[in-house]
């Protein structure tokens, strides 16, 4: 047997090996390349969608955190005050009794108004949070919750008031075109406001919050009613006004009104007596009757200071006019320097600030006299 001749058995073995290799290659070959690509794409897109969802959630979380950062977390209610309240003291008060129950006072309303005055600089929600934080940081329970509840009622009341004011403001404008205040319109408005208060507050709160205001309103209406009574003489009107004041309850409102009435009377009688050339003694006696001896003494000192100023002002005016006549050939700067020197000789720094206004007042009086 030649060595170059291949044996039949070896040929058969080689053929079998080739078939097996082809079969193995065919078995492991992908059935459909396009389907495999679609599957890979699907996995990639799903992963991308999941990534987008995660990113969106992260973004929403960041936005939420950023939004929360913009909302001030009040502890005492006095953090980051609006500009109009900076450097001011909180007005009003919160009073509680021995059982930590809220004592409702007019000062509580002033407290609410203090913070509400910043509306426009701050959102309503921020002001509400500020007021609640202030109350709770300064007040124990149950008074704190009671005060917050009343603040809710007060805000609701304030929101309802403009509708009434709008209605009666138009009616009052029409009524006053005749030159007199229509008190019947005012009375009807007060009734509507009273009903609105009853819808939002209990009786004690109404008295505490609005009692003083109502007393002043009633007083003002009565003064107008008396003044518009054409059947009364001026003396009778004055007597009726004094009688009304005397019958008011003895409280701070009556004291303030009486003082104001005395002040008005004081000014009127002072002008009348000075026009007639009354002596300082006569003025002192009249003032002592109306406002008491200490006030009368202080007013006498004011009279003396005013008389001294007026005397020096007339002297200043005469010297100034004389100087202006003599300084025709001088420059304006030289003339003004001499006038300034006269002012410094006759008046102190505070008085010199009054000169321009006082001169205008004297000119107006002279014009009225002529």
């Amino acid at each position: 047997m030649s060595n170059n001749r291949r044996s039949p058995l070896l040929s058969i073995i080689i053929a079998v090996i080739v078939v097996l290799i082809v079969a193995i290659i065919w078995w492991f070959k992908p059935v459909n390349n396009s389907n495999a690509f679609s599957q890979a794409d699907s996995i990639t897109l799903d992963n991308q969608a999941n990534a987008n969802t995660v990113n969106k959630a992260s973004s929403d979380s960041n936005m939420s955190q950023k939004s929360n950062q913009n909302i001030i977390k009040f502890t005492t209610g006095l953090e980051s005050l609006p500009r109009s309240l900076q450097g001011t003291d909180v007005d009003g008060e919160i009073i509680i009794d021995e059982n930590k129950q809220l004592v409702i006072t007019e000062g509580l309303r002033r407290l609410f108004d203090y913070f509400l005055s910043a509306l426009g600089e701050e959102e309503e929600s921020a002001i509400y949070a500020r007021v609640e934080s202030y109350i709770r940081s300064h007040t124990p329970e149950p008074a704190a919750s009671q005060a917050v509840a009343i603040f809710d009622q007060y805000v609701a009341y304030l929101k309802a008031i403009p509708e009434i004011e709008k209605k009666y403001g138009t009616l009052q404008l029409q009524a006053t075109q005749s030159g007199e205040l229509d008190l019947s319109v005012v009375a009807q408005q007060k009734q509507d406001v009273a009903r609105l208060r009853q819808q939002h507050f209990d009786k004690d709160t109404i008295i505490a919050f609005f009692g003083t205001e109502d007393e002043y309103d009633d007083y003002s209406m009565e003064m107008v009613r008396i003044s518009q009574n054409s059947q009364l003489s001026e003396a009778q009107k004055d007597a009726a006004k004094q009688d009304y004041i005397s019958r008011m309850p003895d409280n701070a409102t009556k004291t303030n009104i009486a003082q104001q009435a005395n002040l008005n009377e004081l000014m009127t009688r002072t002008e009348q007596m000075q026009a007639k050339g009354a002596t300082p003694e006569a003025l002192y006696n009249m003032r002592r009757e109306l406002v008491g001896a200490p006030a009368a003494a202080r007013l006498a000192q004011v009279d003396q200071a005013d008389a001294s100023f007026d005397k020096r002002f007339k002297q200043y005016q005469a010297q100034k006019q004389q100087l202006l006549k003599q300084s025709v050939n001088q420059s304006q700067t030289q003339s003004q320097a001499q006038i300034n020197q006269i002012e410094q000789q006759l008046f102190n720094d505070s008085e010199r600030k009054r000169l321009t206004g006082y001169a205008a007042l004297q000119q107006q009086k002279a014009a009225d006299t002529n």
Side-chain angles (χ1 to χ4, degrees):
M1 180 180 302
S2 171
N3 293 333
N4 296 331
R5 189 175 177 182
R6 179 181 300 172
S7 80
L9 180 60
L10 180 60
S11 298
I12 293 171
I13 292 173
I14 292 173
V16 170
I17 292 172
V18 170
V19 171
L20 288 174
I21 292 173
V22 171
I24 291 171
I25 294 173
W26 180 261
W27 179 262
F28 285 101
K29 179 182 177 181
V31 176
N32 190 326
N33 287 334
S34 64
N35 289 341
F37 181 79
S38 298
Q39 184 178 7
D41 267 359
S42 176
I43 293 173
T44 302
L45 292 174
D46 287 344
N47 289 339
Q48 184 65 40
N50 290 336
N52 289 341
T53 301
V54 171
N55 290 339
K56 184 177 184 302
S58 176
S59 176
D60 289 345
S61 176
N62 290 337
M63 289 178 63
S64 177
Q65 290 175 2
K66 189 173 183 179
S67 175
N68 289 336
Q69 289 173 357
N70 290 334
I71 299 176
I72 299 175
K73 300 297 183 181
F74 297 114
T75 301
T76 66
L78 300 178
E79 298 88 347
S80 303
L81 284 170
R83 180 173 298 180
S84 63
L85 299 183
Q86 292 176 8
T88 65
D89 294 327
V90 177
D91 189 22
E93 61 192 5
I94 302 176
I95 297 178
I96 62 174
D97 63 16
E98 63 277 6
N99 297 318
K100 298 181 181 179
Q101 299 288 328
L102 182 68
V103 178
I104 304 172
T105 65
E106 191 269 340
L108 182 63
R109 180 190 174 188
R110 293 204 319 273
L111 177 73
F112 296 159
D113 288 339
Y114 172 81
F115 289 105
L116 288 170
S117 68
L119 191 61
E121 292 182 82
E122 280 193 313
E123 296 293 332
E124 180 183 329
S125 57
I127 292 178
Y128 185 93
R130 188 183 293 281
V131 171
E132 182 173 7
S133 297
Y134 181 87
I135 291 172
R136 295 195 183 281
S137 66
H138 288 78
T139 315
E141 291 291 355
S145 294
Q146 293 167 354
V148 171
I150 293 177
F151 181 63
D152 285 338
Q153 298 165 2
Y154 188 58
V155 170
Y157 165 76
L158 292 180
K159 288 181 177 180
I161 277 290
E163 191 62 30
I164 294 178
E165 292 178 342
K166 179 180 178 181
K167 172 184 176 182
Y168 287 98
T170 303
L171 294 175
Q172 195 55 256
L173 180 62
Q174 296 172 353
T176 53
Q177 287 178 351
S178 63
E180 289 190 348
L181 188 67
D182 190 337
L183 294 178
S184 63
V185 175
V186 177
Q188 184 60 51
Q189 179 179 358
K190 284 180 64 64
Q191 290 179 9
D192 285 2
V193 170
R195 281 193 289 269
L196 180 64
R197 290 172 180 172
Q198 291 169 2
Q199 293 173 13
H200 292 279
F201 309 103
D202 60 27
K203 183 178 179 181
D204 291 339
T205 304
I206 291 174
I207 294 174
F209 275 22
F210 309 106
T212 300
E213 180 180 311
D214 287 342
E215 288 177 343
Y216 276 109
D217 286 347
D218 292 341
Y219 162 77
S220 299
M221 286 181 63
E222 187 61 25
M223 295 302 103
V224 172
R225 183 178 288 108
I226 293 172
S227 297
Q228 291 183 175
N229 189 341
S230 59
Q231 298 180 351
L232 297 178
S233 65
E234 290 302 318
Q236 290 173 326
K237 290 179 181 179
D238 290 340
K241 292 176 181 178
Q242 291 297 327
D243 178 64
Y244 179 85
I245 295 174
S246 67
R247 290 184 286 104
M248 291 179 64
D250 292 330
N251 54 24
T253 303
K254 179 179 181 178
T255 300
N256 291 336
I257 288 174
Q259 289 176 346
Q260 184 62 43
N262 286 343
L263 180 59
N264 294 338
E265 178 68 13
L266 176 67
M267 294 173 63
T268 300
R269 292 178 62 177
T270 297
E271 290 178 359
Q272 292 173 347
M273 292 178 67
Q274 287 177 337
K276 295 178 180 179
T279 65
E281 291 76 16
L283 285 170
Y284 173 82
N285 291 333
M286 179 272 292
R287 289 165 171 169
R288 184 180 59 186
E289 265 183 55
L290 290 176
V291 294
R298 289 194 297 270
L299 289 171
Q301 293 176 351
V302 172
D303 286 345
Q304 293 174 1
D306 287 344
S308 172
F309 180 85
D310 186 68
K311 181 180 179 180
R312 284 178 285 125
F313 177 79
K314 291 176 180 177
Q315 182 182 351
Y316 160 73
Q317 287 288 77
Q319 293 183 17
K320 180 179 177 180
Q321 294 301 322
Q322 185 66 27
L323 177 63
L324 292 175
K325 289 179 182 180
Q326 295 175 354
S327 60
V328 177
N329 298 325
Q330 291 181 343
S331 67
Q332 184 176 359
T333 303
Q334 290 175 322
S335 299
Q336 187 59 50
Q338 292 175 328
I339 292 173
N340 291 342
Q341 185 177 5
I342 296 174
E343 290 179 1
Q344 293 174 1
Q345 291 173 351
L346 294 174
F347 306 101
N348 60 34
D349 291 342
S350 177
E351 289 174 331
R352 285 201 296 274
K353 295 177 182 179
R354 295 177 54 193
L355 289 176
T356 302
Y358 194 77
L361 179 63
Q362 298 306 310
Q363 290 177 356
Q364 184 61 47
K365 287 183 177 180
D368 293 342
T369 302
N370 296 333

